[in-house]
Amino acid sequence: MKNARERMDILAAYREVGSYRAAAQICGTTHKTVKRVVERHNAGGAGPERKDRGHNYDQVQALVAEQVTKTHGRISAKRLLPAARTAGYEGSARNFRRLVAAQKATWRRGHHRGRRPAVWTPGDTVVIDWGVQDGLHVFCAVLAWSRVRFVRFAADEKAATTLSLLAECFETLGGVPRTVLADRMGCLKAGVVADVVVPTADYVRFATHYGFRPDFCQAADPESKGIVENLVGYAKRDLMVPTEPSVADLSGANAEAVRWCGEVNAVVHSEISAIPAERLETERALLGRLPSLRPDGIGVRPISRKVDKLSCVRFGSARYSVPNRLIGTSVLLTVTDGRVRVLEPFTGEVVAEHALVAPGETSILDEHYGSVRPDRPRRAPRAKTVVEKQFLALGEVAEAFLVGAAAAGVSRLPGELEQILTLHDAHGPDALLAALARAVEFGRWRADDVRSILAAGGAAPTPRPAGQALVLTLPSVPTRPLSDYAISGEPS
């Protein structure tokens, strides 16, 4: 693009020599540029109008727009291309993809899904998720209000591994939040009823032991847990790519993960404009207390276990470390008074001793590895079957009963709902709703429980929590000393 001075020099040279090429040599440009500047000057300074040449896909543009609208912007260019060829499109597949992308962008501008930002409460929610890269699985958790991030590596995504890392997350946070939000992990999900996830019995026991409420996201809705989705991507880019951890060295990988979490939690978070580690000090006071006792009754008679590559043995769905010189050998395990003892099979020497831990947890002693280890949302039910529709049609009490039964881990919930519906005709809607309300209040989630409540006919007692102490202000009255009531020694 020539400036005004250069255009004046070109015009002066052209007037002097009268040739495009000669003027181009004088001004150090091309004859085409000289011709364009001269013609624009002769036309009054306005450039020639550009002719609209159109596109080779104009004839199928209406077809593409119709299909994009019909499929709500989900159809692909690869699927549309055969129909466009039939309609007369002769251009390249690359150019056709540009057309489909432009039509999708146009459709989305007028059809926003719309979301409201999440408002987190201190001590309320921790969000968890799994990621995988090159065969190595990464467990990520975010304490929602303070944005404290927790990342660990594992060789699989089994239930025992997930619960073990979740327990380690609680220990790192120094408390237990009220809710754990996860996607519909297969290791934690026993089933889905009316789009309500039924957690596994092991997960329910784990949640009861730690005192939190398990919650699950909607299906195929990663945006509802984007706070941890971002952490998974961040950990892959900033932690896994530079360090290149492997499954063969999980201890070293997790040591690097601990260092990385300490680093990212000590800098200002862009979303909250605060340091997550400092906000955790405030939020920790609102977290639930960690359990001080481990469940009893897990011990069994001495058994043989093989030491794995992590220098650990598994017992009762938990891992216990042993000296790494025993990797690949078999050892004996005994459980006495809540202690797990690991013995060599021939000498009977006690090579390791641990306190009994809960299923899914891990007990590690640094001396076994020769190094010191560093410190470490409610979804509305949506009926799909006839039974679910009839049951949820009873109202809010039925919905509360279904959600509560799912959270309690009632595995045969569809059959229980069908039995409850049979009581509707026998007792009437009012009595059934009252019985369901009482069942929800006292945590009774079986059809037989509802039937027994109806059989009581309202005669069962209704306990209420104790109220506040009654404080009365008594009036003041004149008093006399006790000496006034003494009996005189002399007769009157």
Side-chain angles (χ1 to χ4, degrees):
M1 185 70 179
K2 301 294 183 181
N3 55 33
R5 184 182 184 85
E6 292 172 336
R7 291 196 299 270
M8 291 176 62
D9 292 341
I10 291 174
L11 292 174
Y14 178 73
R15 292 192 190 97
E16 183 176 350
V17 297
S19 171
Y20 292 142
R21 294 185 181 275
Q25 293 179 358
I26 295 173
C27 299
T29 184
T30 64
H31 65 281
K32 294 181 180 180
T33 302
V34 175
K35 180 180 179 182
R36 184 168 59 251
V37 172
V38 172
E39 289 179 351
R40 178 172 294 186
H41 176 73
N42 294 336
E49 293 185 3
R50 293 177 178 266
K51 295 182 180 180
D52 186 8
R53 296 179 296 175
H55 303 89
N56 59 357
Y57 52 70
D58 287 341
Q59 57 182 339
V60 296
Q61 190 168 2
L63 171 65
V64 172
E66 178 184 356
Q67 292 299 319
V68 168
T69 303
K70 184 178 179 180
T71 60
H72 302 284
R74 295 183 179 274
I75 195 167
S76 64
K78 183 178 180 180
R79 182 61 61 88
L80 266 176
L81 185 57
R85 296 289 190 196
T86 305
Y89 176 70
E90 299 178 353
S92 65
R94 182 184 182 88
N95 207 33
F96 185 72
R97 286 196 297 269
R98 294 192 183 98
L99 169 63
V100 175
Q103 291 297 330
K104 286 184 177 181
T106 302
W107 184 86
R108 292 191 186 104
R109 279 196 293 269
H111 299 81
H112 291 293
R113 180 177 179 180
R115 286 183 175 273
R116 65 174 63 194
V119 180
W120 304 106
T121 304
D124 184 70
T125 305
V126 63
V127 192
I128 63 174
D129 196 13
W130 278 102
V132 61
Q133 181 170 305
D134 298 331
L136 182 64
H137 301 266
V138 56
F139 176 83
C140 299
V142 181
L143 190 58
W145 184 79
S146 62
R147 296 302 199 279
V148 171
R149 286 153 283 194
F150 176 87
V151 175
R152 292 295 185 272
F153 296 109
D156 54 60
E157 298 182 10
K158 296 180 180 179
T161 306
T162 303
L163 297 182
S164 173
L165 293 175
L166 184 56
E168 184 179 347
C169 176
F170 293 154
E171 295 171 2
T172 303
L173 297 177
V176 182
R178 289 185 287 273
T179 305
V180 174
L181 177 62
D183 62 1
R184 304 189 174 195
M185 301 179 183
C187 61
L188 303 179
K189 179 183 67 175
V192 180
V193 179
D195 206 33
V196 176
V197 178
V198 181
T200 62
D202 291 338
Y203 190 31
V204 172
R205 285 193 292 268
F206 182 84
T208 303
H209 180 68
Y210 278 92
F212 66 85
R213 181 178 67 89
D215 195 7
F216 296 88
C217 296
Q218 292 283 12
D221 188 20
E223 292 86 353
S224 59
K225 57 180 178 63
I227 189 174
V228 73
E229 291 282 349
N230 292 334
L231 176 59
V232 173
Y234 184 26
K236 289 181 179 179
R237 295 189 307 270
D238 197 61
L239 175 59
M240 300 182 72
V241 172
T243 59
E244 297 183 357
S246 64
V247 180
D249 186 20
L250 281 180
S251 59
N254 281 324
E256 184 64 22
V258 171
R259 184 204 60 79
W260 184 81
C261 290
E263 179 181 333
V264 298
N265 288 330
V267 297
V268 176
H269 194 284
S270 60
E271 185 69 21
I272 59 176
S273 299
I275 299 177
E278 295 180 356
R279 283 172 66 111
L280 177 61
E281 298 300 326
T282 303
E283 188 172 8
R284 186 175 286 123
L286 301 175
L287 297 176
R289 297 181 58 184
L290 288 168
S292 58
L293 298 177
R294 301 293 184 182
D296 296 329
I298 303 179
V300 294
R301 63 182 182 179
I303 56 175
S304 177
R305 287 288 186 268
K306 186 175 181 180
V307 182
D308 58 18
K309 294 181 179 180
L310 300 178
S311 190
C312 294
V313 292
R314 291 183 60 86
F315 172 75
S317 298
R319 288 184 182 273
Y320 300 90
S321 66
V322 299
N324 52 15
R325 61 181 175 82
L326 298 174
I327 292 178
T329 63
S330 296
V331 294
L332 295 177
L333 272 68
T334 61
V335 180
T336 306
D337 296 332
R339 305 288 296 181
V340 177
R341 292 179 174 86
V342 182
L343 299 84
E344 288 192 0
F346 299 105
T347 63
E349 178 187 357
V350 177
V351 295
E353 184 175 355
H354 300 267
L356 199 62
V357 298
E361 296 189 0
T362 304
S363 178
I364 300 294
L365 298 180
D366 295 332
E367 57 266 28
H368 293 163
Y369 298 88
S371 61
V372 179
R373 188 176 186 179
D375 294 333
R376 330 194 151 248
R378 177 185 170 97
R379 308 293 182 265
R382 291 185 293 183
K384 295 184 178 180
T385 65
V386 176
V387 173
E388 293 170 359
K389 292 178 181 179
Q390 293 177 353
F391 186 78
L392 293 178
L394 297 177
E396 297 180 358
V397 176
E399 178 180 337
F401 181 89
L402 189 149
V403 174
V410 180
S411 57
R412 298 183 179 180
L413 186 54
E416 300 288 342
L417 300 182
E418 187 174 359
Q419 294 182 35
I420 293 174
L421 288 176
T422 60
L423 303 174
H424 182 275
D425 297 334
H427 297 272
D430 296 337
L432 180 60
L433 290 177
L436 287 176
R438 186 177 180 86
V440 171
E441 181 180 0
F442 294 96
R444 306 288 295 277
W445 308 117
R446 302 285 182 178
D448 292 338
D449 298 332
V450 178
R451 187 178 291 108
S452 64
I453 294 174
L454 290 170
T462 305
R464 290 288 184 267
Q468 297 181 352
L470 181 62
V471 179
L472 297 178
T473 303
L474 299 177
S476 58
V477 297
T479 60
R480 293 187 298 173
L482 293 177
S483 59
D484 292 348
Y485 298 92
I487 298 176
S488 175
E490 299 179 359
S492 58

